[in-house]
Amino acid sequence: VAVARRWLQQFTDRGLQRVDAKPRQELVAELAASFQGERSFDDLLVGWINGDSPQASSLYRAISKSGTKSMARRLASLTMNVDLRCVRCHDSKIEGSGQREDFWGFAALLSRGVKGAESRNVQIDPPDSKSKQVFYELPDGRQRLAEAELPSHWLGDAATVDGRITTVKQWAEQLKGSEALARGAVNSLWLLVHGQPLQGRVVDPVSAPHNAELNSIENELVQDMLASRFDVARTLALIVSSPSTRRSVPESLMPANAFAASEEQIEAASEAVNAFAAALPRHSSLPLTKRLDQTMRAIGGKLDQNGRPFFAQIDGDSEKQPGKRGVTETESFAADFPTRDEALPVQWLTLIED
């Protein structure tokens, strides 16, 4: 149940909290049953997408946070291993994720085919959905009508009889048992365990390299998932038991050494982390006040007891040890704290909504 809840939080970008307590528990329980081997993963996802599952409404409510366009991005990533974060605004220039018209065609398909995503009674492919139209803006300012259709190349070898996929149920039917779904599921599970997928993305600041060995691992996991008929528990066990899970944290990335390590050491350690040859220190969830305090200390923005500014208090501030009068200990920086103040990202302090 704990693994199922964490995976849903990851897939929905924490949109799971938007669902009421009881249906949220039922959604988690249904996924947990799949992790326990009671139901194949592809059958479960198809039931959620085409509306056959009693928990479909809860799932759509969770992934509809920030609208249909965000829903399209989350679904495409999981079910077809397609990254749509760039092609919403422009054609893909590097990794070939698709064209703008591909994104807006898929968004139009979902806009027509999913009615009442915010409600407790979602409808899939309702009869009156054909009247709903979606437009997007061209670079010269003109508006273009998006044709509600899924790009066939996203599904690989899977295809409908006439080669066109224009409804949600038609798309869901093609996902069952497909390699595209297996590839998306494998990367999703690898992300759950290791914090980043096997398939690197150019838009991510921390991303796995395009490496033949990593591609081989991905292909083996995908083929194994297909052979096991989407036994997600087996795939998760293979990932957890792999040598990558037993990697250690480089000395230069330890919080105590972050400001003392050289740029070359940090860069080399970061490359090892990206390639799953090393690990990052354990992440600790801190409140905004703590993060702001550490940021101010790192750039010398705190004052001492005499009102004089410190310069880069990298040792942290002092706090009393529990149960020991007058004894203080140094509070170290969080493990994910940026190692140089000039590179301090705003998102380290607070998450951007979309």
Side-chain angles (χ1 to χ4, degrees):
V1 174
V3 175
R5 183 180 292 106
R6 182 176 173 184
W7 183 89
L8 280 170
Q9 288 282 29
Q10 170 187 292
F11 168 49
T12 63
D13 288 344
R14 297 186 181 276
L16 185 63
Q17 302 305 122
R18 305 175 73 237
V19 183
D20 294 338
K22 184 177 180 180
R24 181 170 66 241
Q25 292 174 357
E26 293 173 347
L27 182 64
V28 171
E30 189 170 57
L31 177 60
S34 180
F35 275 102
Q36 293 168 352
E38 299 178 11
R39 185 178 182 183
S40 65
F41 194 56
D42 61 333
D43 184 60
L44 173 70
L45 289 178
V46 169
W48 281 349
I49 293 171
N50 64 18
D52 288 346
S53 170
Q55 317 309 328
S57 295
S58 299
L59 188 280
Y60 274 107
R61 177 167 174 76
I63 63 174
S64 62
K65 178 183 177 182
S66 303
T68 302
K69 293 178 283 294
S70 295
M71 184 197 305
R73 174 175 57 81
R74 294 173 184 128
L75 285 172
S77 177
L78 172 64
T79 62
M80 297 172 289
N81 201 40
V82 175
D83 190 346
L84 298 183
R85 286 175 292 177
C86 288
V87 294
R88 171 178 171 178
C89 299
H90 58 79
D91 294 344
S92 177
K93 303 296 184 182
I94 300 177
E95 289 184 326
S97 298
Q99 309 296 312
R100 283 189 73 203
E101 61 181 0
D102 294 339
F103 171 88
W104 288 102
F106 184 46
L109 185 149
L110 293 176
S111 181
R112 290 187 183 187
V114 181
K115 185 176 180 181
E118 293 285 344
S119 68
R120 298 179 181 178
N121 187 23
V122 69
Q123 297 180 45
I124 304 301
D125 296 332
D128 59 345
S129 62
K130 293 185 179 181
S131 60
K132 194 170 185 178
Q133 297 179 333
V134 174
F135 290 85
Y136 64 98
E137 188 173 352
L138 297 175
D140 59 6
R142 292 179 298 159
Q143 298 290 312
R144 172 175 288 180
L145 175 65
E147 295 190 21
E149 181 177 349
L150 180 79
S152 58
H153 61 89
W154 286 359
L155 285 172
D157 295 333
T160 55
V161 176
D162 60 0
R164 298 189 64 202
I165 301 172
T166 57
T167 67
V168 173
K169 290 186 176 181
Q170 193 180 24
W171 164 54
E173 185 63 27
Q174 300 304 309
L175 289 176
K176 192 168 184 178
S178 70
E179 182 176 328
L181 177 56
R183 199 165 296 276
V186 163
N187 275 283
S188 177
L189 292 171
W190 193 275
L191 172 65
L192 181 70
V193 175
H194 294 292
Q196 63 186 47
L198 268 168
Q199 191 71 257
R201 305 297 187 190
V202 70
V203 299
D204 291 321
V206 177
S207 178
H210 291 285
N211 179 274
E213 186 67 26
L214 295 183
N215 291 339
S216 176
I217 293 173
E218 181 187 31
N219 289 330
E220 288 180 12
L221 288 172
V222 168
Q223 295 306 317
D224 186 85
M225 177 174 277
L226 291 171
S228 67
R229 297 183 180 180
F230 284 81
D231 184 349
V232 69
R234 173 184 169 87
T235 304
L236 185 60
L238 289 172
I239 294 174
V240 171
S241 62
S242 68
S244 299
T245 311
R246 299 188 293 274
R247 46 202 180 144
S248 60
V249 179
E251 289 292 328
S252 57
L253 295 185
M254 297 296 289
N257 303 327
F259 283 85
S262 66
E263 292 284 357
E264 291 76 14
Q265 290 174 323
I266 293 175
E267 183 177 354
S270 299
E271 289 179 355
V273 169
N274 294 350
F276 306 105
L280 288 172
R282 184 182 297 275
H283 172 74
S284 57
S285 180
L286 296 177
L288 179 59
T289 53
K290 278 285 188 182
R291 289 180 177 263
L292 183 59
D293 175 74
Q294 293 189 13
T295 302
M296 295 297 289
R297 287 194 282 109
I299 63 175
K302 300 283 284 187
L303 299 177
D304 66 6
Q305 59 184 354
N306 297 318
R308 294 173 301 187
F310 284 140
F311 178 76
Q313 303 101 355
I314 61 175
D315 290 332
D317 49 21
S318 297
E319 293 183 350
K320 289 185 177 180
Q321 284 186 349
K324 295 184 179 181
R325 178 180 298 179
V327 179
T328 61
E329 63 177 359
T330 299
E331 179 195 11
S332 62
F333 283 99
D336 64 338
F337 188 84
T339 55
R340 297 291 183 268
D341 63 276
E342 63 267 18
L344 183 67
V346 175
Q347 59 267 35
W348 189 84
L349 292 175
T350 181
L351 294 178
I352 299 173
E353 181 66 21
D354 182 24

